[in-house]
Amino acid sequence: MSDPPATLARMTDRWALAPAEGGGVDVAPLGPDGLPAAPVRRETDLAEAVRSRPGVTRWVWRSTAEVYPDLLASGVRVERAYDIEAAETLLLGHEGRYGEPRSAAAALARLRGGPVPPDPAQRQAEPGAQSALFEPHGTPLPLPDLIAVYAGQQRRTDATAHPDRMRLLTAAESAGMLVAAEMNRAGLPWRADVHRAVLHDLLGERYAGGGGPRRLAELADEVSAAFGHRVRPDLPADVVKAFARAGVKVTSTRRWEIESVDHPAVKPLLEYKKLYRIWVAHGWSWLQDWVRDGRFRPEFLAGGTVTGRWVTNGGGALQIPKIIRRAVVADPGWRLVVADADQMEPRVLAAISRDPGLMEVAGRESDLYQSVSDRAFSGDRAQAKLAVLGAVYGQTSGDGLKNLAALRRRFPKAVAYVDEAARAGQEGRLVRTWLGRTCPPAVRPTEDATEEAGIPPAQEEPGPAARPWGPEAEARPWVPGYASTDARARGRFARNFVVQGSAADWALLLLAALRRTLSGMAAELVFFQHDEVIVHCPEEEAATVAEAIRQSADLAGRLTFGPTPVRFPFTTAVVECYADAK
């Protein structure tokens, strides 16, 4: 647990590996320059090729998703890997080329000046399937070509502004790919009988023939009765029209807008919307599709967004409602260690801005928002929290502007750091996390490009409300129009990016350190999202796991941000049921 960044990111005992055309696998040791240190060897069996080389510290391969699931199925676990396609994504972003094809074949083509092939299409995950994320696409890249790409990536990394940080980021991203594959195989413990009981309590019986459950039908009748005519509560346009007919003007059926309306249809409508989401997203069909043999196995995808946050390819694992979490139950004799990082964003902001006052506050394991409120907001914790989050998320008007001014007086370097990121984003400049993950630049499209996209040059693109900067939008490259609203939206996104992206980088190193500590135990990582991790372990290992999470968080903080007083405490609960953790 004490390896410095150079040791973690620059292992010399490296072997390259690639599936061979016609079967088997090619392997070769690599020297310090990333080139072969011995001739390529052909092995007939992937698992045996890895198992027979226990001293290898890092395997270099095209994609963890291509190789590692088969190794895990054979009972082979690797300590470290270098994922060439994950590294290519990071390097392209750093070079201001985010969105260009990131496959190893594309990297080879760029290296040799040839035509660059497009990336293969990402497939939709199949419920219950355990297969590679991308469909097979042509002949596997020969090992010599793969090694050439790897050596080229090493040279490109050396050319970055902070090579050591970039190497650490690449190592962390590759470690995240290993963790994701292992979590996909382990699965989250899930009690189907408990899930069915929860659905029955909430929704009632299911009608024969695939119709909606009884409780939804009852609520739909209540909504219709309140309006005095038949209304489909699952159709927003129908609901908006019904309110208009009743003399109430609403523009949507969003909760925040509907709940302020004084009308008898509001209460059953809001209840219907809540239960309808559960039925559609986590109802009986979801249970049948995604839970097998007592485990929920979505496909976790590390680095699935621009900020580095994880996503899942099917199953909706990162949006499990609390009431459905009742079904997440540890095996008999086992426990779930659920750890939630405390106030991660302001602690990360303190570390990256090097603001002395905020670092001193973030160096305590006590309530950070209360400490900020005592310094700048006369003890008003709620106002302090709004101010800190407003600085991160760009709430800089109205009360947000006043709160930001108070924050700026006490923590000037912290506010200046996110202000500069926002300014860079608005101006279309590259914005980076502490380790070097890069937010794509704005690219003013040519007249031909705008016509191709169907956007006349003089026409403004939709503003941030119509084209949100959310997880679903992050993963796509952005080519804005000319509207100032888009520039402001990108400025807000860049302000948030430097904090959220640096937090994602820290979380990767947390997972890497925790994975290493758990390797000799029965405990297994089964869930991760943003600032929360769940480990499934025998009851007797629970205390050790909780301490490992604390130590891993401290180590990740030192590795990511260097020597600072900032601490990253967790609220940790040891429970049998996930719903009992909060």
Side-chain angles (χ1 to χ4, degrees), residues 218-526:
E218 292 172 350
L219 288 168
D221 289 342
E222 290 181 37
V223 170
S224 295
F227 282 119
H229 57 91
R230 188 65 184 168
V231 175
R232 287 276 304 276
D234 56 322
L235 298 179
D238 216 19
V239 174
V240 170
K241 184 186 295 185
F243 273 119
R245 185 171 169 182
V248 179
K249 183 179 179 181
V250 296
T251 60
S252 72
T253 60
R254 295 185 179 91
R255 182 182 183 90
W256 63 266
E257 184 173 4
I258 295 297
E259 65 186 359
S260 64
V261 172
D262 183 16
H263 190 279
V266 169
K267 184 177 179 180
L269 178 61
L270 291 177
E271 180 69 9
Y272 182 96
K273 284 168 62 67
K274 180 181 74 174
L275 295 181
Y276 182 82
R277 281 194 296 270
I278 291 174
W279 176 53
V280 170
H282 292 93
W284 291 277
S285 295
W286 180 94
L287 180 61
Q288 181 177 352
D289 286 344
W290 292 103
V291 176
R292 289 282 188 280
D293 303 321
R295 293 291 186 273
F296 167 40
R297 291 188 175 91
E299 282 190 7
F300 286 96
L301 176 59
T305 67
V306 168
T307 60
R309 281 193 177 188
W310 288 28
V311 296
T312 58
N313 185 29
L318 305 186
Q319 297 176 328
I320 304 173
K322 183 169 183 178
I323 196 164
I324 299 299
R325 293 177 189 177
R326 294 180 191 173
V328 183
V329 180
D331 293 344
W334 286 51
R335 294 293 182 269
L336 300 171
V337 181
V338 182
D340 197 350
D342 296 334
Q343 300 146 346
M344 183 170 68
E345 286 88 354
R347 294 178 187 277
V348 168
L349 177 57
I352 61 179
S353 68
R354 296 306 205 252
D355 185 289
L358 193 56
M359 283 197 297
E360 192 276 326
V361 168
R364 310 170 189 172
E365 296 202 2
S366 55
D367 186 340
L368 182 144
Y369 294 126
Q370 187 60 56
S371 297
V372 170
S373 72
D374 293 342
R375 288 186 170 221
F377 296 94
S378 304
D380 188 335
R381 183 186 184 279
Q383 193 174 18
K385 183 175 181 179
L386 285 174
V388 172
L389 296 181
V392 173
Y393 289 98
Q395 180 62 36
T396 55
S397 60
D399 288 341
L401 187 61
K402 181 178 67 175
N403 291 337
L404 190 63
L407 199 69
R408 183 178 282 110
R409 286 193 295 271
R410 296 310 301 262
F411 309 109
K413 291 187 70 175
V415 178
Y417 193 94
V418 289
D419 281 349
E420 171 54 27
R423 188 160 45 249
Q426 281 187 287
E427 294 171 0
R429 291 184 276 137
L430 294 174
V431 179
R432 307 193 199 282
T433 67
W434 186 259
L435 291 185
R437 191 185 302 272
T438 307
C439 182
V443 178
R444 181 179 293 278
T446 63
E447 187 171 337
D448 288 344
T450 53
E451 287 178 356
E452 228 173 72
I455 306 170
Q459 179 180 319
E460 292 192 346
E461 281 186 284
R467 186 179 49 76
W469 284 100
E472 54 284 312
E474 283 180 15
R476 298 192 298 271
W478 179 45
V479 180
Y482 305 117
S484 61
T485 52
D486 275 322
R488 287 195 297 269
R490 189 177 186 279
R492 285 194 298 272
F493 181 75
R495 170 189 294 272
N496 176 248
F497 175 86
V498 294
V499 179
Q500 294 286 2
S502 295
D505 297 347
W506 167 83
L508 283 171
L509 285 164
L510 160 74
L511 291 174
L514 182 58
R515 173 181 183 264
R516 185 178 177 190
T517 302
L518 300 181
S519 63
M521 303 167 61
E524 54 189 8
L525 274 160
V526 293

